[in-house]
């Protein structure tokens, strides 16, 4: 099954994808995670995109499309995938249509005030990307990753200014994909205001 998780920053795409990948037995491919891994490893790509991510702007389509094309060519993506955070522009969606057939586009529906609470309380483990929330999903020991014992950090783009910019970028460049995919009859809406387990149960029903 080839899935796209579409939705605003902080909607919980990564959180649900981390569960759905095991349920559906397909890889979770997050373009944000791929960029962050490159930044951490100080690759050429990482150096190119570091400032763009910190500010919450979009990486140019050409760079992003190439990265996804390479990732989808890997063996584990042959029997399906969850694309989280891609496509984010019409040009990316057109490019994806040439690479692969999408089965469903899952549209994460959520109010702005909930997004702001989710993003401002998010903490992540830098080496694994494991994601927590100070209120909704706290680690066992405050500020420490449950498995690696490393300190948790706040993403650069989870500071207020970058959050507001990411929401603006989403409305301008990414939200038009909702109509784009609805017209192609690929869109399924899901209310993601509840708890992750409840959302996962709904998703299983919707995709049946
Ligand atoms: P990316 O990493 O994709 O960021 P994003 O879309 O802004 O999404 P987030 O990761 O912030 O949110 P999420 O929906 O995954 O929420 P999460 O599960 O973490 O992209 C980062 C950057 O990379 C972009 O800004 C851009 O620069 C670049 N980029 C990436 N893709 C690109 C592309 N295609 N083109 C160009 N540039 C690109 O949850 C958020 C918080 O809420 C967590 O704390 C979590 O614990 C909590 N939470 C989640 N679900 C629930 C729930 N149901 N109840 C309570 N709390 C919850
Ligand atoms: Mg994410």
């Amino acid at each position: 099954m080839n899935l796209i998780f579409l939705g605003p920053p902080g909607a919980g795409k990564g959180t649900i994808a981390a569960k759905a990948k095991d349920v559906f037995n397909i890889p979770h491919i997050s373009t944000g995670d791929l960029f962050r891994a490159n930044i951490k490893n100080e690759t050429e790509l990482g150096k190119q995109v570091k400032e763009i991510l910190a500010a919450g702007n979009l990486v140019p389509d050409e760079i992003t499309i190439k990265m996804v094309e390479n990732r989808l060519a890997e063996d584990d993506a042959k029997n399906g995938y969850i694309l989280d955070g891609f496509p984010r522009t019409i040009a990316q969606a057109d490019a994806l249509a040439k690479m692969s057939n999408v089965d469903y586009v899952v549209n994460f529906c959520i109010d702005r005030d909930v997004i702001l609470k989710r993003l401002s309380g998010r903490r992540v483990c830098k080496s694994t990307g494991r994601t927590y929330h100070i209120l909704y999903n706290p680690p066992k020991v405050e500020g420490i990753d449950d498995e690696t014992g490393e300190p948790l950090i706040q993403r650069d783009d989870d500071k207020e200014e970058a959050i507001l910019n990411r929401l603006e970028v989403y409305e301008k460049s990414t939200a038009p994909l909702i109509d784009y995919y609805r017209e192609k009859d690929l869109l399924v809406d899901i209310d993601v205001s509840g708890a992750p387990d409840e959302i996962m149960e709904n998703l299983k029903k919707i995709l049946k």
Side-chain angles (χ1 to χ4, degrees):
M1 188 158 50
N2 298 339
L3 299 178
I4 292 174
F5 281 7
L6 178 67
K13 303 180 297 295
T15 299
I16 301 305
K19 295 177 181 293
K21 75 176 170 58
D22 294 330
V23 172
F24 302 124
N25 199 21
I26 45 179
H28 168 205
I29 301 175
S30 155
T31 40
D33 287 349
L34 291 173
F35 287 132
R36 281 185 289 276
N38 275 279
I39 292 170
K40 185 172 152 275
N41 296 329
E42 298 179 355
T43 66
E44 268 316 304
L45 173 64
K47 286 176 201 157
Q48 261 179 303
V49 303
K50 187 172 186 208
E51 297 305 319
I52 301 176
L53 263 85
N57 291 318
L58 291 184
V59 173
D61 285 335
E62 204 184 276
I63 297 176
T64 309
I65 290 165
K66 190 82 221 148
M67 182 177 75
V68 170
E69 200 171 11
N70 290 337
R71 181 62 187 84
L72 289 183
E74 287 179 34
D75 275 350
D76 66 340
K78 294 278 187 297
N79 295 321
Y81 53 74
I82 301 169
L83 271 176
D84 158 12
F86 181 93
R88 255 178 161 93
T89 63
I90 300 280
Q92 291 178 13
D94 286 340
L96 178 63
K98 292 188 188 134
M99 289 177 222
S100 181
N101 284 322
V102 173
D103 295 310
Y104 294 102
V105 178
V106 182
N107 180 31
F108 283 55
C109 303
I110 185 97
D111 289 341
R112 187 185 168 99
D113 56 326
V114 183
I115 290 176
L116 294 175
K117 283 186 199 142
R118 288 187 182 176
L119 286 178
S120 56
R122 177 165 56 188
R123 298 293 182 273
V124 295
C125 172
K126 203 172 179 179
S127 70
T128 63
R130 207 177 348 268
T131 300
Y132 300 85
H133 190 282
I134 51 172
L135 300 177
Y136 311 137
N137 178 26
K140 292 187 183 113
V141 179
E142 194 184 324
I144 302 290
D145 183 72
D146 289 348
E147 285 175 37
T148 64
E150 289 168 75
L152 300 179
I153 58 152
Q154 188 169 32
R155 270 170 48 178
D156 284 341
D157 58 352
D158 279 347
K159 311 279 158 69
E160 194 182 347
E161 201 184 314
I163 289 178
L164 296 177
N165 187 40
R166 280 155 69 207
L167 287 169
E168 222 177 283
V169 168
Y170 169 80
E171 286 305 330
K172 183 168 163 271
S173 303
T174 308
L177 290 176
I178 296 174
D179 282 341
Y180 174 101
Y181 282 120
R182 209 185 292 284
E183 278 161 21
K184 294 187 191 306
D185 209 16
L186 292 173
L187 201 84
V188 290
D189 290 313
I190 187 163
D191 171 4
V192 292
S193 59
D197 287 342
E198 187 189 323
I199 297 166
M200 195 56 232
E201 284 313 305
N202 281 337
L203 185 64
K204 282 196 260 178
K205 282 183 207 148
I206 291 171
L207 299 187
K208 238 179 200 162

